[in-house]
Amino acid sequence: MTHTIQPNNPEATPAPDATDIPATTPPAPSTTQAPAAPPAAAAVPAALKRRIPKYSDLAPLMQFKKPEFSKEARLKRASTVWELRDIAKRRTPQAPFDYTDGAAEAEITLRRARQAFLDIEFRPGILRNVSAIDLSTDILGKPSRLPVGIAPTGFTRMMQSEGEYAGSQAAEAAGIPYTLSTMGTASIEDVAAAAPNGRNWFQLYLWTDRDRSLELIERAAKAGNDTLMVTVDTAVAGARLRDVRNGMTIPPALTIKTVLDASYRPAWWFNFLTHEPLTFASLSRYTGTVADLINSMFDPTLTFEDLDWLRETWKGNLVVKGIQTVEDARRVVGHGADGVILSNHGGRQLDRAPIPFHLLPEVKEAFTKDNTDAAIMLDTGIMSGADIVAALALGADFTLIGRAYLYGLMAGGRAGVDRTLQILEKDMARTMALLGASKISELTPDHVRLLNN
């Protein structure tokens, strides 16, 4: 015997099979039985009944704000470094913007460096107490309120007239290190005066003229710089093709193209023309292209023996920037370096160079095997606080930002640099909380998985 269930009503009582029905005519319905009443309509909830809205209901929604066009409002609306970059591009002439934004040749290295931070998977821990996030750390024997410092950048007052003064003062206020470049447009002494309570570092390019290098080293020490950062990846200049196409010179030349560009960015040109002319404050006056300057001034004959000379000469912390292999990281520590900076110069020298973020775990493993306490720092490609947290988790002791802070500088001067650091700090705190880490020492490689490795 079989039963049939209607597909649209699986709970209905099964109908009897036809073989169970008596072979008789069914009785006619009773004429005295009342017809069944239709089902009662469901009551409409009060919240769903239509009504004319009251003013008291609309008032909280009608909060129209007067449009704000101030610098402060513009910067406040930016919630990422990328958005600061967009503002910077609108407010800065093409040549200085491209000098900051561009890299060498086809700019493959820069794209890969940024993509490396995207090609990861965070692996959060749950049920941890993250009610308070501590982002402070120690680097090279002193505390830093955040695990990031400002990297050395040349020609900074060309990007925006406040230049190195804005960077050093913002770093001082944030409680992080600031690094002045040999090719900076503010002198060692002026930066020290602008940020007297900041932690100032000095970046050095070793010249063929050792006496001039020694003079800079002595000035840096006298001005209170506790760390010397020697850059070793500029034997010759990289092919920065955007600069070539823009006819980039120091100082910027007034051509028909630049005058037309200025018409859309009058504030930049007003600031540029009404402040002290740009010079390399640590050097003698120079006019020409960036590549010509590097090729005429920097020494392609440098060897590890020159690092020995620096170690004997400089009594503070010595850091080597531009490390791109595990072997070289080990060698510079063997020659007296207190720390290394894994860096390919922001992709501005050798295109298709190693990516610092990918190199980081190998260097960390090598230093652990060597039982060295030399600091591992990293730059290139950092555009968010999450990038910084990922680097710390994979073994970095500290990070440095160049372009990220320059985008803020071009977007709004000192206030723009402050905004960059605020964005990064908020990113870092949020990322760590979601990972289940309340302080930097709790970050481990288990928190990050490299998807393409």
Side-chain angles (χ1 to χ4, degrees):
M1 182 176 66
T2 60
H3 294 225
T4 302
I5 298 177
Q6 295 297 326
N8 62 343
N9 189 5
E11 297 182 359
T13 304
D17 188 86
T19 57
D20 296 334
I21 301 175
T24 59
T25 302
S30 171
T31 57
T32 59
Q33 184 177 355
V44 178
L48 300 183
K49 292 180 179 179
R50 300 276 184 192
R51 64 187 181 88
I52 298 175
K54 301 176 182 178
Y55 176 78
S56 59
D57 296 329
L58 294 176
L61 306 177
M62 299 171 65
Q63 298 183 12
F64 302 112
K65 293 183 179 180
K66 182 180 179 181
E68 294 184 88
F69 302 101
S70 66
K71 178 176 70 175
E72 292 73 18
R74 180 175 67 244
L75 295 173
K76 188 177 181 180
R77 286 192 292 267
S79 56
T80 67
V81 173
W82 287 107
E83 290 175 0
L84 289 175
R85 177 187 178 275
D86 291 340
I87 299 171
K89 188 173 184 179
R90 292 195 298 268
R91 300 183 62 81
T92 310
Q94 183 176 351
F97 179 82
D98 278 354
Y99 176 79
T100 301
D101 195 58
E105 300 180 41
E107 304 187 357
I108 295 169
T109 298
L110 177 58
R111 290 196 298 273
R112 287 178 177 173
R114 287 173 171 167
Q115 189 64 40
F117 286 107
L118 301 180
D119 291 338
I120 67 167
E121 178 183 87
F122 280 124
R123 309 183 76 181
I126 61 170
L127 299 177
R128 273 74 164 179
N129 181 355
V130 290
S131 57
I133 303 297
D134 182 4
L135 294 173
S136 64
T137 190
D138 288 330
I139 185 65
L140 298 172
K142 290 186 178 182
S144 177
R145 197 179 68 83
L146 301 174
V148 59
I150 291 182
T153 58
F155 325 128
T156 312
R157 287 184 55 238
M158 180 182 63
M159 287 65 155
Q160 202 272 351
S161 58
E162 296 177 58
E164 290 87 356
Y165 301 104
S168 59
Q169 289 173 344
E172 178 185 51
I176 64 175
Y178 171 82
T179 314
L180 175 66
S181 170
T182 296
M183 299 172 74
T185 45
S187 71
I188 299 170
E189 295 78 12
D190 286 348
V191 168
N197 298 314
R199 186 178 184 189
N200 295 321
W201 297 353
F202 183 69
Q203 177 270 335
L204 177 73
Y205 289 110
L206 267 177
W207 304 348
T208 52
D209 185 344
R210 288 293 184 270
D211 288 339
R212 296 186 71 186
S213 295
L214 182 59
E215 177 189 348
L216 281 180
I217 292 170
E218 291 173 344
R219 286 172 58 189
K222 186 176 180 180
N225 291 260
D226 66 71
T227 296
L228 184 68
M229 181 186 297
V230 57
T231 298
V232 295
D233 57 4
T234 52
V236 296
R240 303 171 192 176
L241 300 184
R242 290 203 217 182
D243 296 345
V244 174
R245 288 189 287 266
N246 290 329
M248 173 72 174
T249 61
I250 306 298
L254 285 172
T255 64
I256 293 176
K257 181 179 178 181
T258 56
V259 169
L260 289 174
D261 196 28
S263 65
Y264 297 98
R265 300 163 178 89
W268 186 94
W269 279 102
F270 176 77
N271 286 330
F272 175 75
L273 295 171
T274 58
H275 286 89
E276 180 182 305
L278 291 184
T279 60
F280 298 112
S282 297
L283 315 177
S284 58
R285 218 171 259 276
Y286 177 86
T287 300
T289 68
V290 177
D292 287 345
L293 172 63
I294 293 176
N295 289 332
S296 66
M297 189 180 73
F298 303 138
D299 188 354
T301 69
L302 290 179
T303 66
F304 285 92
E305 285 65 37
D306 295 291
L307 198 58
D308 294 333
W309 175 79
L310 268 181
R311 180 67 285 177
E312 293 175 4
T313 305
W314 176 260
K315 303 309 178 184
N317 299 312
L318 179 62
V319 174
V320 179
K321 179 178 181 289
I323 299 299
Q324 299 174 70
T325 68
V326 175
E327 177 187 3
D328 281 347
R330 283 174 148 164
R331 288 190 71 182
V332 298
V333 170
H335 282 264
D338 298 298
V340 298
I341 300 176
L342 309 183
S343 171
N344 54 39
H345 214 102
R348 299 164 67 80
Q349 286 295 100
L350 176 67
D351 209 7
R352 300 178 181 86
I355 303 305
F357 186 64
H358 289 162
L359 182 63
L360 174 59
E362 299 176 48
V363 173
K364 180 65 174 178
E365 181 181 9
F367 279 20
T368 300
K369 288 181 179 178
D370 295 346
N371 196 30
T372 177
D373 59 356
I376 302 175
M377 292 177 268
L378 176 145
D379 71 12
T380 305
I382 293 172
M383 290 291 284
S384 74
D387 297 343
I388 295 171
V389 171
L392 297 172
L394 288 185
D397 297 301
F398 204 68
T399 61
L400 295 165
I401 53 169
R403 285 184 182 89
Y405 109 84
L406 291 177
Y407 291 142
L409 176 68
M410 290 185 288
R414 160 68 194 279
V417 183
D418 289 336
R419 184 61 182 152
T420 297
L421 297 176
Q422 291 164 6
I423 289 170
L424 294 178
E425 181 174 2
K426 187 175 181 179
D427 285 352
M428 285 186 281
R430 180 181 60 251
T431 302
M432 286 185 55
L434 292 173
L435 285 175
S438 62
K439 52 188 177 182
I440 291 172
S441 60
E442 294 176 359
L443 293 171
T444 73
D446 290 337
H447 286 111
V448 177
R449 184 165 73 92
L450 302 178
L451 297 180
N452 292 334
N453 280 17

